[in-house]
Amino acid sequence: MGKTLVKNYEFEMEKDGQLASVKVEVCLQKVRGGYEFSAQGKSVKVNSVEPEDLDAKAVAGQLGLGGQEAESFIHKLALLHRLSPEKKLSVPEITCSSLSDGRKGVAIDLGDLFLFVEKEKSWRLQLVDTQENRMLTAGFHVGSLEELKREPQLKGALKLRFKEQLIPLIVARIVEVIQAEPEEMWQIERSEKEEQEQVNIPVELPTSAEVSDVFAYQGDRKFNSRIQIKSFGFPQSRFLELEFSCNRSREDLCAVCNFEGYEMNLKENFDASAFATYFDSDNPKDAWKILKQNGTVKGCDKVSVRGERETAITQAIVSDRRGSEAKAWFVYDQEKCDLRTSPNWIYSQGWLCRGKTGRIGVLVTEFQAESEVMMPKAETVEASKEYLRSITTEDEATVLKVARALHKKSNLKGLEATRGFVSDLLFIGAPIWTKTPEGPQIIGMTSLEVGETTTAKSQREREVVDWLKAGKYESGRKTSAGLAAGAEKIEGIGWVMRKGLLPSADLSFIILDNMFPHALDEHIESRRNGIIELSTIKSCELWGRTRLKLLSNPALPFDQHLHKCVALKVYDSKFIARFTFVTFTYGEKPDVRYDPKIEELFEQDQAVLNAAWNVLRWNLSQEITYTVPLELWPKIMEYSKQLELTFGNEEIPLFLRANPHKVATLAYCFALFEGTEPTERHVKQADQWLTECGVDMEMDEFTEDWKKEHTLSDQEYFDLKLMIGAQTAEDMEEHGGEIRDTELFKFFEHIARHGQAQMEEIAASMNVSDKTVKRRAKEMKGLGLIQSSIKGYYFTPKGVRFYKRWLKDIRNGDLNDPKDLTFKGHKPFRGEKMPETSKPEVIGVIGVTIDSNTMSAVKDWCRANRTERSEISLIALTAFIQKTWPDIPPNHILELVFKQEILMPSPKPGLAVVV
């Protein structure tokens, strides 16, 4: 018994005079001497399931299925059986032999598969299916045999032939076979010059066609290029095999064309433009017209078309790094052209051709998903890291040496340019994700540089992008849709989501010059989780895992700010918190700026640049997640705490809460340029860099002033309490009542309830004139407790803290004596006398003691329940007293209420007037 495939076939049939849906399980299995179809207790044996040999109509009839749909179902079942390989249940015998074409390497026999292994500067592997004569994987590279054990591409291909639980055993056996080969099998002869140039010469990018070649179209030709997918249309079902035949029977051939038949697929009689036109129109006869126009066939238009191998075709818009755009048709293939992974940059193979109405584009039949940046060879990267380690010294960060070499290369003037290049290199050298013990991974780098127009920021950034041959620099203000994504209607495709700048730079880096400060406000969260959410005409989520740097000019010159860091307040506070670091640039003096001297770049400088080039491109070519080692975490937290204490404030929250993530990310950046893993030394360098940035923008001075305005010490509280107490005491002596009846208490209370209030509203609530409110407001402004704006009066942060503390003490202590302003639990101030006891004041009535808190509660109830005439029901008050204080006789409390003039008699029986 061989490979078995089971599928359900659904059809409608008449049952009891009504149509009913019927589901039948159809099985196709390999048996001795052929294949066997079975369904509904019936079976049919055939010799072959190839399309030309299989009579699907007869098979469907014998199984009792019948109908044209059943015939099509049998064809598809046979196709799936041919395509799905039989998985083996045991580890095969693995043998190894040297390559016969003179290359250095071996061919490993896995039964029906061959794994070709070569070693140049890294291990190169290719898996081939010998039965179907096709590649299961394109050539891929691994840096070591340990990486080979984890290689997902190899494991995924082996799953097509072997059970999943056998894959680790097979891969381990492959590694053993490779390690058993003699060293001479892998040795490659190199000249002494090549060994010397391995570090000093960057890896050259491969030459290939460009999307812009659509502008020079002169007929179909092969297309082989690295392109970026800008937007996708909807997948559509199309056939990959088309068979054209004359409508006339063979006995009565068409007198016009004498045409018997023509077959076209992706391998035989392939015509890219004919397929592209059919993909656009969904009319196979349009492909026939293109074949006739090209002279491929001769015949009339009276043909019938039969399609096979149905698959998904997806139209898209693609571009190259020059910005040229073109239409594309992607032909789905699980192994060669799988769009389910939502690729961004791809290395594509296909055809330059034209579709319906002559629109030129690219028909993609195969691609490999890649980063925007091609990874340098593993040995080159390792040699570059070794060189960087050799020039590292204890007294200086290696990134500074790279920045000086870049400074020489650019010939920009002044030491400030070196500092600018350091910030650029740290920005580009960041990981995509940083994972700390505090929570989920977060996007590694978002940076900001603020400087005057004359500081050559843009020129320096262009120099970096040109040197690295990667990333993007964009200038000018962009809309939110231009940065994230937007919906666009394209003729022939419909509404599509067009990627903005951030998704287009996924896994790379982008520098935005002069961006509107609030353009990313609705996508601030993407600088944490790397996902850009959009909901317009279409809704989608796009990856935006890019290193982002903003260049900006200050709204006012720096010397017009008391503290330079105030220039950051043009950004949303949440966005400020996302910045890993911020640098300010100020420009150079004319004597330095116009120095005609040209710096000379020495061999050692070029060697440093080339080594850094290789390491940076290695870092950019993959989705790196830096997980903070637990042994570094205590030191990171120590530095982070000191940064928050020195620079942390809520008004400009650059150094608030997220400091551990920032320190860890920068530690990785410093370590990258030394070719090592982060250590405590790199954590200290990260702290020094952040401290330097904070001091330069005067964030420490701003934070000190901010804390004075937003915090309330015990000394300040007692000072304010005495001043407020004196005013409330004067008010109570003049108008009577308690502290809650004073103008100042009512003024505070109204603002606290409403957040902010206009002068007229407060005056009406307090039943006083506008002048009284204005006088009280001036007094409280002078004490720093309130502020005013066009929207009205509102508390300052210090005022909020004072009012909360003051109100709490009033509720607990009930300051009946306005002269007693000492609160429990605090030391006396300026001659204040602490009360002899902290117990509540007690009032004696006929041998019963009633504390002042009880009377305050009764007073509050009377105020809350009085009518418009300021009257209350004595019956209701008595019920309240009995329920709240069941141990105290109600008449005792009522007697005190009238004695203290909280209530006074009313002419109406059963009522009393609230004073």
Side-chain angles (χ1 to χ4, degrees), residues 403-419:
R404 289 198 191 103
L406 265 179
H407 188 184
K408 285 185 179 181
K409 183 177 183 297
S410 68
N411 267 300
L412 294 174
K413 305 301 180 184
L415 295 176
E416 189 175 65
T418 300
R419 183 170 179 267

Side-chain angles (χ1 to χ4, degrees), residues 816 840-853 855 896 900:
N816 289 314
E841 179 184 358
V842 296
I843 305 167
V845 180
I846 319 177
V848 179
T849 57
I850 303 172
D851 62 39
S852 58
N853 290 338
M855 300 308 297
L896 279 176
Q900 294 185 3

Side-chain angles (χ1 to χ4, degrees), residues 604-637:
Q604 185 176 0
D605 297 323
Q606 189 61 55
V608 170
L609 287 179
N610 291 341
W613 190 93
N614 284 321
V615 171
L616 280 175
R617 290 189 58 96
W618 169 82
N619 188 64
L620 290 170
S621 63
Q622 51 193 320
E623 184 179 359
I624 291 180
T625 300
Y626 171 55
T627 302
V628 177
L630 294 180
E631 58 268 20
L632 292 183
W633 188 241
K635 186 61 68 175
I636 290 175
M637 294 299 282

Side-chain angles (χ1 to χ4, degrees), residues 681-878:
R681 175 173 181 269
H682 304 114
V683 174
K684 183 178 180 180
Q685 289 174 341
D687 171 67
Q688 290 173 341
W689 173 257
L690 290 172
T691 301
E692 179 186 335
C693 293
V695 172
D696 179 65
M697 68 178 71
E698 300 173 348
M699 183 72 83
D700 52 341
E701 299 175 9
F702 177 86
T703 300
E704 186 177 348
D705 291 345
W706 181 88
K707 287 181 178 179
K708 290 179 181 178
E709 296 176 1
H710 290 72
T711 57
L712 186 69
S713 65
D714 287 346
Q715 187 80 1
E716 288 178 302
Y717 175 69
F718 281 117
D719 283 339
L720 290 170
K721 178 256 297 181
L722 287 176
M723 296 177 190
I724 299 296
Q727 295 187 36
T728 55
E730 182 182 345
D731 193 358
M732 291 163 65
E733 286 183 8
E734 181 178 351
H735 299 98
E738 296 184 353
I739 195 169
R740 295 175 181 270
D741 301 319
T742 60
E743 292 177 353
L744 206 50
F745 184 89
K746 292 179 179 179
F747 179 81
F748 281 148
E749 187 178 40
H750 188 88
I751 296 177
R753 286 181 178 177
H754 298 86
Q756 58 187 18
Q758 297 283 354
M759 179 174 61
E760 294 81 4
E761 298 175 14
I762 300 174
S765 172
M766 295 171 56
N767 196 22
V768 296
S769 65
D770 292 353
K771 289 183 179 180
T772 302
V773 174
K774 195 171 184 179
R775 176 172 57 84
R776 291 298 186 187
K778 284 183 178 180
E779 294 169 354
M780 295 305 103
K781 281 184 179 181
L783 297 177
L785 299 180
I786 67 166
Q787 290 177 325
S788 63
S789 67
I790 193 172
K791 295 181 179 180
Y793 297 111
Y794 56 93
F795 278 119
T796 63
K798 182 181 289 187
V800 171
R801 288 170 172 80
F802 172 81
Y803 180 70
K804 284 183 177 180
R805 189 167 169 181
W806 189 51
L807 185 62
K808 182 179 179 181
D809 286 337
I810 289 175
R811 287 172 176 169
N812 292 338
D814 192 27
L815 303 179
N816 289 314
D817 183 359
K819 296 179 181 178
D820 181 11
L821 301 173
T822 304
F823 298 161
K824 292 177 287 184
H826 297 293
K827 296 179 180 179
F829 176 70
R830 291 186 183 176
E832 276 188 297
K833 293 183 179 180
M834 291 290 288
E836 296 180 359
T837 177
S838 60
K839 296 180 180 179
E841 179 184 358
V842 296
I843 305 167
V845 180
I846 319 177
V848 179
T849 57
I850 303 172
D851 62 39
S852 58
N853 290 338
T854 302
M855 300 308 297
S856 295
V858 173
K859 184 177 180 180
D860 290 342
W861 185 92
C862 293
R863 287 178 175 175
N865 293 276
R866 60 188 174 183
T867 64
E868 293 179 356
R869 295 177 176 271
S870 197
E871 295 175 333
I872 63 160
S873 168
L874 291 175
I875 297 175
L877 176 58
T878 303

